[in-house]
Amino acid sequence: MKSIVKIIKYGALFYCLVSILNALVLPPTYELTIDNYLFVFGLANLALVAFKKREYSILVIAFCLFFGWTLVVDFAKHGMDFKSNIPYLLYSLKWPVIIVTLLEASKSGEWSENYPKVIDGLFLTLLGVNLFMLLNIGSTGESMQLLYAPKAYTNFIYYNEFGTFRLAGTQMNANDNAILFCCFYIYYLSFRPKAWHYLLLAFGIIILTQSRTIFLVTLAVSGITAMKHLKVFKSKKQLILFLFGGFLVGITIIFSFSNLRSMFTGKALASSSFMQRVSNLSNALESDGLTLIIGNGVIKNPLLELGAYIDSEFIAVLMQYGLGGILLWMVVLVAINIHFKFKSAEGRYWFLITVLILGASVTNYVFLHGSIGIVLSLFLALSFVGSKEIESKPQGKVQ
């Protein structure tokens, strides 16, 4: 029996590794498909761990409730045709599988002391790829970005029109890349604030993505963290000077990039993407009573079925799974925030990740996104490792 449990455990870990490689490193064309077969190990391991350790019960139940609701809704709307949508619906269970598997692995102590080095190595690797794309020596950067984000016309504009450049990095678009580096930013801000160079580098990439939403989220999590450390400033004068300096730097950054600048010129509110979101939300709220409550089921081709794309998770959940889906989506976020005590390092860290999820869901997909969901699950799972970094060093020595 022990050997079977061990096989399931390592199968689940391998599943997580393949998923992370696909989400963070490999271009879409070269993604591994073996994870589809390894998922069964992840589910089995999740069931075993949740049964043995009740600390994960609320978290697992919340994700299962959301999954169950999406299953019922899709069956009600599409009948037996819903079977073709099951791989998409299973995303709801993929996230607790990754979170719980990696959390348990980090607590086992087998590799925990090497985690910080792995995180730094991953960060620097992704940073290097992004900088290579940015420098674009001999158009090689543009070619690489096209490999990860195969949108020839969009990339051509980014690289050839002044002020429009947006760095997509290893993600499908610049907004997703911003979410990825915001996760790194929150990790270092929460557990290794003395590593200011990593914080600046992550913030720099977020600026280069010109993602308005994630830029504002980054400012928000920075402000929340700063409020906790106000005692660092010895006087009000010192605090005012710091805030004024930060304000000047922020204004300089914002007005140096056209997409960020549009937040203050009003162009962001008049953009086609914003107006389309307003239209999508309006259409969802004007649905008949039953559809508003349970949604329309999985929308495979929004452009064909709705005449427009959906680029907001909040609206996507509302349209597909109704107000019931929104309620259970919020239950998942509540479960995330009560898993750890808020006063603990892990609790505050998960809260900041939740702020990112809420902010990003307004203009992007998060848990409904195949890659970004993996990114968020990975960083949620790093909470135990991060807290141990704090505990293992004197307060003044945290790096």
Side-chain angles (χ1 to χ4, degrees):
M1 183 64 184
K2 286 184 178 180
S3 59
I4 295 175
V5 171
K6 200 169 184 179
I7 289 171
I8 291 173
K9 174 187 172 182
Y10 284 102
L13 282 171
F14 189 44
Y15 167 74
C16 292
L17 176 61
V18 172
S19 297
I20 292 166
L21 283 174
N22 282 341
L24 300 185
V25 181
L26 299 177
T29 309
Y30 299 98
E31 286 184 0
L32 304 172
T33 58
I34 192 175
D35 61 320
N36 295 324
Y37 305 100
L38 293 170
F39 183 57
V40 65
F41 288 99
L43 276 179
N45 186 63
L46 177 66
L48 287 172
V49 174
F51 180 76
K52 287 181 182 178
K53 302 187 177 181
R54 299 302 171 88
E55 65 188 273
Y56 298 110
S57 296
I58 295 176
L59 190 67
V60 174
I61 289 171
F63 277 102
C64 286
L65 284 173
F66 183 79
F67 169 69
W69 176 260
T70 63
L71 209 62
V72 170
V73 167
D74 211 56
F75 175 72
K77 288 292 182 175
H78 300 135
M80 292 308 294
D81 288 341
F82 91 105
K83 291 186 291 185
S84 63
N85 295 328
I86 288 178
Y88 176 80
L89 299 175
L90 281 170
Y91 279 157
S92 304
L93 298 182
K94 187 172 185 174
W95 317 140
V97 164
I98 294 174
I99 294 169
V100 172
T101 299
L102 294 182
L103 266 178
E104 280 301 293
S106 65
K107 290 178 181 179
S108 69
E110 292 179 58
W111 308 293
S112 58
E113 61 182 26
N114 295 317
Y115 269 74
K117 295 176 183 177
V118 172
I119 296 165
D120 290 348
L122 182 60
F123 174 73
L124 292 173
T125 299
L126 293 172
L127 177 71
V129 172
N130 276 264
L131 291 178
F132 181 81
M133 292 178 180
L134 172 67
L135 294 174
N136 194 29
I137 301 171
S139 297
T140 53
E142 184 178 354
S143 298
M144 179 173 278
Q145 180 151 313
L146 191 60
L147 185 65
Y148 282 96
K151 301 171 184 177
Y153 178 71
T154 303
N155 288 331
F156 179 81
I157 292 174
Y158 287 168
Y159 276 92
N160 293 280
E161 287 193 15
F162 180 76
T164 63
F165 180 77
R166 300 189 66 188
L167 188 58
T170 58
Q171 300 303 305
M172 284 293 289
N173 58 64
N175 290 333
D176 292 345
N177 198 32
I179 294 173
L180 168 60
F181 277 92
C182 190
C183 285
F184 277 112
Y185 183 86
I186 292 172
Y187 171 81
Y188 287 116
L189 187 68
S190 300
F191 300 127
R192 296 164 64 184
K194 294 288 185 180
W196 56 269
H197 46 297
Y198 287 160
L199 283 168
L200 285 179
L201 289 169
F203 187 60
I205 296 296
I206 292 169
I207 291 169
L208 290 170
T209 65
Q210 292 206 63
S211 173
R212 293 172 294 211
T213 303
I214 308 306
F215 179 76
L216 292 175
V217 168
T218 306
L219 294 183
V221 298
S222 300
I224 292 169
T225 305
M227 290 295 290
K228 181 181 177 293
H229 297 288
L230 281 178
K231 60 184 179 181
V232 170
F233 299 99
K234 296 178 181 178
S235 66
K236 288 184 178 179
K237 183 179 178 181
Q238 198 178 53
L239 176 60
I240 290 170
L241 285 173
F242 177 80
L243 291 175
F244 183 69
F247 175 77
L248 288 179
V249 171
I251 290 296
T252 302
I253 290 170
I254 289 167
F255 282 87
S256 298
F257 295 87
S258 60
N259 207 52
L260 296 179
R261 187 167 63 244
S262 67
M263 292 186 294
F264 297 88
T265 61
K267 289 184 178 180
L269 298 177
S271 66
S272 58
S273 59
F274 178 79
M275 296 308 297
Q276 187 58 63
R277 292 185 192 109
V278 172
S279 177
N280 287 339
L281 180 60
S282 177
N283 290 336
L285 294 175
E286 288 174 0
S287 303
D288 64 82
L290 182 61
T291 301
L292 182 60
I293 293 172
I294 70 170
N296 299 285
V298 174
I299 299 173
K300 291 182 178 179
N301 191 331
L303 190 60
L304 181 64
E305 297 178 45
L306 306 173
Y309 289 110
I310 308 173
D311 58 357
S312 161
E313 173 140 324
F314 181 82
I315 296 173
V317 171
L318 180 61
M319 281 188 160
Q320 294 182 113
Y321 314 121
L323 292 174
I326 290 289
L327 177 61
L328 291 172
W329 186 79
M330 295 301 295
V331 167
V332 168
L333 296 185
V334 171
I336 286 172
N337 278 279
I338 64 175
H339 183 76
F340 293 111
K341 292 181 179 178
F342 182 72
K343 291 185 179 180
S344 67
E346 300 103 315
R348 291 191 295 271
Y349 171 69
W350 277 31
F351 174 74
L352 293 181
I353 295 288
T354 304
V355 172
L356 171 59
I357 292 170
L358 283 170
S361 68
V362 177
T363 58
N364 303 275
Y365 278 23
V366 282
F367 281 127
L368 295 184
H369 191 300
S371 294
I372 295 303
I374 292 170
V375 170
L376 292 168
S377 301
L378 167 64
F379 277 89
L380 285 169
L382 293 177
S383 56
F384 184 79
V385 176
S387 66
K388 287 303 174 186
E389 286 187 80
I390 292 177
E391 293 173 11
S392 64
K393 300 175 184 178
Q395 194 62 30
K397 298 285 186 181
V398 177
Q399 295 295 313

